[in-house]
Amino acid sequence: MTEIDTSVPHSARIWNYWLGGKDNYPVDEAAGDAYTAVFPGIVTIARSSRAFLGRSIRYLVQEAGIRQFLDVGTGLPTVDNTHEVAQRLAPESRVVYVDNDPLVLAHARALLTSTPEGVTAYEDLSLYEPERIIEAAGRTLDLTQPTALILSGILGHVPDHAEARDLVRRLLADLPSGSYLCVNDGSRGTDPVYEEAQDAYNETGAVPYFLRPVDQIEAYFEGLDLVEPGVVSVPLWRPEEEHPAPIGQHGGLARKP
């Protein structure tokens, strides 16, 4: 098994720390605290991203009738993971998680449980292997039936936007009509303090994460039918609270015709 290095901060563990999880080390807390000292709003971004994921899954289950989910770039399990939200509403939901991080793998098997009626599986694969992901997902999901592809906070790790778009296209290619794409990622143009903090973080030698202009996030949905209100700052997507404030994180949900 790949050794987990606890001497350097790790983005999945830092994100877990910001979400209030326990799967992190002092080095991650220190890096997370250093980031929040520059930009306290990062905790709001982490939690708003997770809340958007929950609202989009509820829409998929309750309004779109989706019962299959392919969540690529899972990250560390925290609260309200994809299978928990989906199976709470439809216990028969089937979920495949994909990540290739040894730390995520170590926790996934213990934490990603399932209802008796449903199925939850974990595949140790990279986003850069879309055809292998679809092949592996087909062992758990019936890929002749509509499936929701979830890419939450993962595409910003792909340095080249054209390559990120190509990966999305290849993942969607073998999913049937009626499937959905759910994306949310860090964005430029809303919060310059966030952009400054993230650009500085990317210079530290940690695994970089690239914030993208909103039109580049919209481009992931090319050829798909966007669900209202389209690609927006995530707190504004079908909000459950009054007067949500926009943040530097945009997302959307769209149906494959």
Side-chain angles (χ1 to χ4, degrees):
M1 182 173 171
T2 310
E3 194 66 30
I4 294 166
D5 187 348
T6 62
S7 67
V8 293
H10 184 287
S11 60
R13 297 194 307 247
I14 297 169
W15 197 254
N16 176 268
Y17 174 55
W18 287 331
L19 285 171
K22 303 287 181 232
D23 295 315
N24 47 72
Y25 296 97
V27 66
D28 307 304
E29 294 184 18
D33 290 343
Y35 196 117
T36 55
V38 177
F39 178 61
I42 190 62
V43 174
T44 300
I45 284 178
R47 295 181 181 181
S48 295
S49 170
R50 178 57 53 140
F52 164 80
L53 179 63
R55 294 196 305 279
S56 58
I57 293 168
R58 287 194 288 277
Y59 173 90
L60 287 163
V61 173
Q62 294 175 307
E63 300 190 43
I66 296 294
R67 296 294 182 268
Q68 301 194 125
F69 298 83
L70 175 56
D71 186 335
V72 181
T74 306
L76 281 164
T78 50
V79 292
D80 280 347
N81 302 293
T82 296
H83 74 288
E84 291 170 328
V85 178
Q87 292 179 348
R88 204 177 292 144
L89 299 167
E92 71 277 19
S93 297
R94 303 171 79 87
V95 179
V96 173
Y97 291 101
V98 178
D99 211 310
N100 72 327
D101 183 321
L103 184 75
V104 176
L105 178 62
H107 289 278
R109 303 209 186 282
L111 292 176
L112 302 180
T113 54
S114 176
T115 55
E117 305 94 322
V119 177
T120 304
Y122 181 90
E123 299 291 346
D124 183 19
L125 289 167
S126 163
L127 171 66
Y128 293 95
E129 307 172 281
E131 287 77 19
R132 287 188 66 197
I133 287 172
I134 295 299
E135 182 188 351
R139 295 195 284 267
T140 300
L141 308 178
D142 176 359
L143 295 182
T144 66
Q145 297 300 311
T147 300
L149 170 63
I150 295 170
L151 297 164
S152 181
I154 183 69
L155 294 171
H157 286 298
V158 181
D160 182 72
H161 179 248
E163 183 174 18
R165 285 185 67 184
D166 183 58
L167 290 168
V168 173
R169 274 196 296 266
R170 287 159 66 190
L171 283 165
L172 281 171
D174 289 322
L175 299 183
S177 171
S179 293
Y180 282 79
L181 171 66
C182 176
V183 170
N184 77 94
D185 257 305
S187 57
R188 291 190 179 276
T190 304
D191 190 335
V193 183
Y194 175 35
E195 293 166 28
E196 223 172 281
Q198 187 60 44
D199 291 346
Y201 175 84
N202 287 353
E203 295 297 317
T204 65
V207 176
Y209 179 83
F210 300 95
L211 307 182
R212 294 209 154 101
V214 176
D215 64 333
Q216 291 191 359
I217 297 174
E218 290 172 338
Y220 297 133
F221 297 97
E222 188 180 349
L224 306 178
D225 299 327
L226 279 163
V227 173
E228 287 295 329
V231 176
V232 294
S233 180
V234 292
L236 310 186
W237 195 90
R238 298 178 173 251
E240 292 167 352
E241 60 185 80
E242 286 188 38
H243 313 301
I247 59 173
Q249 184 88 5
H250 277 66
L253 180 68
R255 183 180 183 276
K256 182 176 178 178

